[in-house]
Structure formats: C-alpha cells, structure tokens
Amino acid sequence: MKAVAVLIALLVVIVGAVALWRTGLVRSNGPIVRPIARDPGGTTFESGKKGVTLFFLARGNESFREEKREIAGGTTTTEDAKRTLNELVKGPKSGGLEPTIPREAQLLNLFIDSSGTAYVDFNQRLRGGLSGGAQEELYAVFSIVNTLTSNFVQIVRVQILVEGAEIPTLAGHVDTRTALPPQYVF
Amino acid sequence: MVKSQSVVGQALTGIAVVAFELAIVATLVSAAERSQGTEPYSLRLLRFRTYPDHTRVVLEGTRRHEFVLKEDGASGHVVLDVKRGIASPSMRFSDVSDGLVATIETRQLGHDTRITIHGAGRRLWTKIFALDEPDRIVVDLFPREAQEALSQQTDTVMTTTAGRTVQPKLATRSHGATVASPPEQIVNTIVIDPGHGGRDSGAIGQSGAKEKEIVLDIGLRLRRLIEETLEMKVVMTRTEDVFIPLESRTMIANRHRADFFISLHVNAAPRSRAVGVETYFLSREPSDLGARASAVRENTALNLEGVGQEAQRDLKSVLWNLTQTLYVKESSELAELLLNELGRSLQVDNRGVKSAPFFVLIGAAMPSVLVEVAFITNPDEEQKLEQETYRQQIAQALLAGIAKFKARYEKRVGFMPAVAPVVR
C-alpha cells in the first residue's frame, strides 16, 4: 500500500515537472543561443576574405559615396572592424572619391561594448590633419560612424576617442563627447 | 630526548601554521586593499551649467553619498561636505565665471570631500537635492536678492502663444544689467557668436586668411546693423580675438535669455573646390532614453503634485520632446531665411539647409543656427572674404534674414509692431 502511494506521488511529481517545462515556466540551465542577425556588409568569401563598405566623399557634389572593398576576415567582429577602419584611413581606390580621414591618422584601438557602442581610439593626427572646416569635420566623423554601423550589426553607435580620451570635437564643430549614431546626409 | 625533540617539532609546526595563516590573512587584506584601489573615486565628475536665472552644479558619484551644507551662500560662498566621498583629481578646480559663480574648488578633508563654490561677489541662495541612476548631488545656485524679490512678487510669468515661457527678467545675473524690457517686445535679444578665436584660428585659406578674423568682422558689422535697424539687444560671445570655449558660448545665450542664437563660420573643404553658403541647425536630441530621462530630471522644474511617478515621467518626456521639436522647427525656419537672403544677395551657390550635431548649438534654450558664409579653401571665395565690401554685404544679408524671422515670429505670437522695420 505504502509502495503504491510512493509510486503515485512520484508519478504526480514527474507529470507536474513535464507540464511546467512544456509551458515554459521552467527552463533548462543550458546556454541561451541568440539568433545571429545577418551581417549586411559582412559577406565572407571562400578565400576567407570579407566584403565591406567604406564611406568616402564624392568629389564635386559633397555627399557620401560607398566603395566596396575586401578585407582579410578576422576571428572576431572587433578584429574585422579594426581592419575595416584601417581601410577607410587608407583612402579611396575608385576615381571620383576623396578621402575623409587624414592619411597620417592611426587607429590605436577599437572595442565594442555590450550595448552596441564601438569605441574607436585614434592618435592625435586625426585632429591635426584636419583643416578646421565644418564640412571636412562632418565627413571625417560620420565616415567613421557610418562605415562601422553599416558593416557590423553589433555596432549601433560610435564613440570617437583620441589617445584614449573623449574629446569635445575634432575641429571645433561636431559634438563628439558622446557616441554618435550614423548620419548619411546632413 | 626523543620526547623533547617531538615537543620542539610540534611547537615549530604550530609556529609554521600560525605564520602561514598570518601570511594568508595579510595577502587577503592586501588583496582587499588592492581591490578597493581599482575603484578609487566615489565622486567621479563635477559639471556645471548656466541657466538664465541660476547656475547648476552637479556632482556625479559612483554610489550614493550623504552630504551636509556647511554654508548656504549668504556669505557669497557655498560649502558642501560630501561624507565619505573621494573626489577624482579632475574635480579639483573649475572656472565657471558666469557672473553668478566664479570658481568651484574640491578638497579632500580626511574621509570627506569638501566642495567650495565661490560666488562672483553676490550673495547666493542654494537649493540642493540628490538624484540616482547615476547617483548625483545637484546644487542649484540663485542670486539671493532676486529670490527675495521674487518671493514678494505676484505671479508675473507670461506665456506666449507659441508656448515659450517668458519670465520676468529680475533674476538676471549680470551686475546692474537688469533689462527692463517692454512687455510687448517679444523678440528682444539676439546672440551673435563669431566662431573660433584666440588660439583656435578655425580654417585658414591658401593666402592666409583666417576664419576667426573674418567671422569676427562680419559679426561686429552685423551687430551694428541690428542695433541701428531692428532696435534689438545684441549680445556678442566675443568682440575680440579671444578663445571662448564652445560650452560658454551657449551659456552666454542662455544667460541673456536670448530669443535666438546665430553662430558665424567660414567653411573649408581642402580637397574640393566647393563654393557657396550653407546653414545648419541642430539635429540631435538626447538619443537614448536614459540620457533623455536624465536631461528631463535636471532641466525641468515641474511640480506635478498628485500625479504618479510613472505618469510624471511620461509627461516630462512628452514636454521635453515638444520643446525640442519647437526649437527644431524655429531653428530650421531661421536657417532657411538666412540662407535664402545670403544666396540671393551674394549670388553664390545655395548649398541648402542642413542639420548636424554641432556642439555650439547643443544646450541653447532658443532657436539656434550655424551659418557657413563661404568656403575659405576656395581661392575665389577667400579673395572675396578679404574685401570689406563683401563682408558688409554678408552682414546685410544676415540682417535681412533676421528681420524676416523676427517679423514672422512676432506675427505668430500675436505682436504687430507699429511700423515694420525696413531692412533692404
């Protein structure tokens, strides 16, 4: 009799546990796998190279124009983002485009936090290489921001740093005290 | 003998165990101290902002702090002790110089941090409160005499039909510079901000023309024209070749309760032959919810008694958005009027009204625009900018745009001047 009671109790516990698990009130302790969004600019080729889009200045009509380029695919998004920015600093290869970043500027570091902010740290030459005009500064700032946010879904805004520090502006106009979302037209 | 050796051995073992335990304790204490050292400051930032009738000082902490107000400002100084506060060295000294507050000093007194706010020669009245997320201590400083005068006054706040509140100008901070505005004068004060200055030359042309000199000259010409023609009060952010920090320029505009703010610049695009004029207004609002909520908390002084906290938050958020939208619309209109007048008068490329997150426009509690009157990197435009007559023409065009904006705005809020100003 006692054995039957124990058996029934055990059965009730098992059925209850299964019911709770199926309704989602109880979850297993396994790792949560998030669906990874498709990276629009991040087509990875068989050769291990990755296609990226860079934002340069269109000569003549002063607007952004994209240039496609391939980078060696790294093992992490951060590594890919660094390589992409280094390509931006090198300047355009297509005719009709102008660079937006001073050639002498050097990317010192880049990291991405969990909120989607990419921190990009350049040397002082990013500032020193600009002439002091608002338009040039706008295109310098937003070519960095647009290039990173349009290639990497993990990045939604970009904080520009110079030698590890936040700066008010690059050349006296555009507010870089906080992380900026992309802006494609002004 | 064997027994005594055993006793000695046990004693040595005991000593070794104690020594080992002491070493572990010492290591743990040291590690704890080191871990405290990684988070050395509990007060990480001091910032301030000038408002039309008061100055706000905000201490940002990494945790909550108790604080004691030692001196409330009656003597001209405010002294605040933050209990168990460790201040970042970056907070040591701040030069405010906004007419109400001169400087702010931070000193470490044992376990506490002492904040001393030195007034600019006037008695102060202080309001202090704490906010969280992030933890902040907010000190609002008012001129004491204005507070006393206001407390005796009846409610004389006027609201314009456009929704902007015009308060009596008793609480202006400048010494003896109380502006007795006629009540019907709705658009009364304009701030002209010649960009750059001092060590910051701005853009430089091929033949050596400097943006800072050109925009100062245009600004001074514009001031003269406005004073003569529109009878408005003109406030210049600089009248000589000095460096003014960007945040101070907006502060000046807010302090004078300006009706609008115009920042003058000359453009540069060294890699292209771009020519023409363009105007900008501010496109950026506090982007994320946290920043906006924080801005609402610190920038509004609404008393919504009887309304739940959640509803208050929503209402303040809506009001903040409305205010921003209002200024965006007015700023865009001002930018368009100025641009059209410049394009027509100078017969140059009209490059359009644009929007961008320009530092100097952020925080202006009024319609505000940035004007790029030419490209100094274009040799033809540089040559023209060096001519006095061309700079006067630019100032005339700007005046025409300002007059149109003033007339439109006053018409919209219900004020019709007896005689419309003739500018052209």
Side-chain angles (χ1 to χ4, degrees):
Chain A
M1 188 63 190
K2 196 177 172 186
V4 172
V6 167
L7 200 67
I8 289 170
L10 200 65
L11 203 66
V12 167
V13 168
I14 290 167
V15 168
V18 168
L20 284 172
W21 183 75
R22 286 189 67 114
T23 53
L25 291 171
V26 173
R27 289 179 191 278
S28 71
N29 250 347
I32 299 164
V33 181
R34 292 179 189 279
I36 297 165
R38 194 176 65 84
D39 194 339
T43 314
T44 305
F45 303 110
E46 280 184 13
S47 58
K49 292 199 178 265
K50 188 179 166 85
V52 292
T53 305
L54 309 176
F55 284 77
F56 294 111
L57 180 63
R59 192 179 296 152
N61 67 354
E62 279 87 35
S63 60
F64 276 122
R65 194 180 296 167
E66 299 172 9
E67 182 182 288
K68 302 282 181 195
R69 199 169 294 184
E70 285 181 13
I71 58 163
T75 50
T76 62
T77 303
T78 304
E79 195 54 44
D80 285 347
K82 280 182 188 174
R83 289 176 186 178
T84 306
L85 266 197
N86 282 329
E87 288 300 314
L88 183 75
V89 175
K90 283 179 192 168
K93 290 181 177 171
S94 326
L97 297 184
E98 295 286 352
T100 52
I101 309 290
R103 285 274 163 88
E104 58 273 28
Q106 197 189 338
L107 178 66
L108 301 175
N109 207 350
L110 184 152
F111 64 93
I112 304 164
D113 73 11
S114 57
S115 74
T117 301
Y119 295 80
V120 295
D121 185 20
F122 280 91
N123 67 353
Q124 276 292 352
R125 290 181 176 178
L126 176 66
R127 299 179 94 178
L130 295 173
S131 68
Q135 181 182 286
E136 190 188 23
E137 187 182 349
L138 268 176
Y139 282 96
V141 168
F142 284 99
S143 65
I144 294 170
V145 177
N146 296 350
T147 295
L148 287 178
T149 51
S150 63
N151 284 292
F152 304 98
V153 289
Q154 299 88 339
I155 300 173
V156 290
R157 61 182 77 81
V158 178
Q159 171 76 62
I160 295 173
L161 308 172
V162 171
E163 312 260 333
E166 282 175 12
I167 45 158
T169 66
L170 283 184
H173 305 94
V174 183
D175 184 11
T176 48
R177 289 172 298 179
T178 53
L180 293 165
Q183 188 172 343
Y184 301 97
V185 288
F186 304 112
Chain B
M1 184 65 183
V2 173
K3 193 179 177 183
S4 71
Q5 274 180 345
S6 166
V7 169
V8 170
Q10 280 178 357
L12 284 173
T13 308
I15 289 165
V17 167
V18 169
F20 181 64
E21 283 172 355
L22 281 173
I24 288 174
V25 168
T27 308
L28 287 173
V29 168
S30 160
E33 281 172 357
R34 272 204 307 278
S35 74
Q36 278 183 348
T38 58
E39 194 67 55
Y41 312 122
S42 64
L43 291 166
R44 64 178 194 89
L45 184 71
L46 184 150
R47 54 188 164 85
F48 57 87
R49 189 162 184 179
T50 300
Y51 291 88
D53 60 343
H54 72 286
T55 299
R56 172 163 288 183
V57 178
V58 180
L59 302 166
E60 275 194 22
T62 55
R63 57 174 170 78
R64 281 190 186 178
H65 291 87
E66 305 246 315
F67 50 86
V68 178
L69 194 61
K70 293 279 188 184
E71 280 191 48
D72 67 353
S75 63
H77 306 285
V78 172
V79 179
L80 176 74
D81 280 354
V82 182
K83 297 292 172 191
R84 307 197 74 78
I86 304 164
S88 157
S90 67
M91 294 171 55
R92 204 164 290 156
F93 182 81
S94 298
D95 183 8
V96 181
S97 302
D98 65 356
L100 186 64
V101 174
T103 56
I104 306 168
E105 277 182 82
T106 304
R107 278 191 303 145
Q108 200 63 43
L109 293 179
H111 292 301
D112 302 339
T113 295
R114 170 160 292 183
I115 311 288
T116 307
I117 301 169
H118 298 283
R122 300 166 77 181
R123 294 189 307 133
L124 302 171
W125 178 80
T126 311
K127 200 167 78 178
I128 185 163
F129 55 97
L131 294 170
D132 52 12
E133 293 179 359
D135 288 302
R136 283 160 294 166
I137 300 169
V138 181
V139 186
D140 282 342
L141 302 138
F142 300 84
R144 189 168 276 258
E145 71 274 18
Q147 198 60 34
E148 287 163 358
L150 276 176
S151 65
Q152 292 165 8
Q153 276 212 331
T154 53
D155 183 16
T156 53
V157 173
M158 302 179 291
T159 305
T160 67
T161 52
R164 291 179 66 193
T165 302
V166 183
Q167 291 181 329
K169 297 201 174 189
L170 259 169
T172 48
R173 62 192 63 227
S174 50
H175 296 275
T178 307
V179 181
S181 314
E184 71 276 17
Q185 192 83 347
I186 292 167
V187 179
N188 187 46
T189 306
I190 176 170
V191 172
I192 298 171
D193 169 45
H196 310 277
R199 66 172 188 260
D200 175 15
S201 298
I204 299 176
Q206 284 175 15
S207 69
K210 289 180 180 165
E211 179 181 3
K212 66 172 184 176
E213 291 166 3
I214 288 165
V215 293
L216 177 59
D217 182 77
I218 295 170
L220 292 170
R221 286 170 191 276
L222 181 58
R223 175 174 73 170
R224 210 160 33 244
L225 289 171
I226 294 172
E227 284 172 346
E228 287 167 6
T229 319
L230 300 178
E231 295 179 347
M232 289 175 72
K233 181 186 171 194
V234 181
V235 177
M236 303 286 293
T237 56
R238 68 181 179 99
T239 53
E240 51 195 15
D241 185 16
V242 288
F243 176 78
I244 310 279
L246 290 170
E247 56 269 38
S248 301
R249 296 170 190 253
T250 325
M251 266 190 216
I252 290 167
N254 288 345
R255 188 170 73 218
H256 286 89
R257 296 183 177 184
D259 296 293
F260 48 103
F261 175 88
I262 298 176
S263 189
L264 297 175
H265 289 256
V266 172
N267 220 334
R271 295 185 194 91
S272 77
R273 290 186 60 82
V275 290
V277 292
E278 56 192 26
T279 52
Y280 285 90
F281 64 96
L282 182 66
S283 64
R284 198 178 72 184
E285 293 179 15
S287 52
D288 61 272
L289 205 60
R292 195 162 58 201
S294 170
V296 166
R297 272 202 300 271
E298 287 190 18
N299 293 333
T300 57
L302 294 174
N303 184 15
L304 302 168
E305 284 179 22
V307 181
Q309 278 197 347
E310 195 66 33
Q312 281 194 29
R313 225 180 353 258
D314 291 347
L315 184 52
K316 285 176 180 177
S317 187
V318 168
L319 288 171
W320 172 259
N321 285 337
L322 280 174
T323 310
Q324 292 296 303
T325 309
L326 176 71
Y327 290 145
V328 166
K329 189 169 169 285
E330 290 177 350
S331 300
S332 138
E333 186 181 346
L334 176 59
E336 193 179 344
L337 288 170
L338 294 174
L339 184 79
N340 290 342
E341 290 301 327
L342 283 167
R344 202 170 48 149
S345 167
L346 306 176
Q347 297 290 303
V348 292
D349 280 6
N350 178 333
R351 298 168 58 87
V353 174
K354 301 178 176 188
S355 62
F358 281 138
F359 190 122
V360 77
L361 304 179
I362 292 168
M366 68 210 68
S368 51
V369 297
L370 186 144
V371 183
E372 300 277 1
V373 297
F375 275 83
I376 203 168
T377 42
N378 181 289
D380 295 339
E381 290 211 318
E382 184 187 10
Q383 199 187 355
K384 283 198 276 184
L385 285 170
E386 287 181 309
Q387 296 165 12
E388 207 172 295
T389 49
Y390 193 71
R391 295 197 298 270
Q392 183 69 16
Q393 211 181 333
I394 292 173
Q396 289 276 9
L398 291 171
L399 172 72
I402 290 165
K404 281 190 177 171
F405 180 75
K406 181 177 189 287
R408 275 196 200 183
Y409 186 80
E410 286 178 336
K411 191 176 176 187
R412 200 159 51 232
V413 299
F415 170 68
M416 293 290 286
V419 182
V422 178
V423 173
R424 300 181 65 82

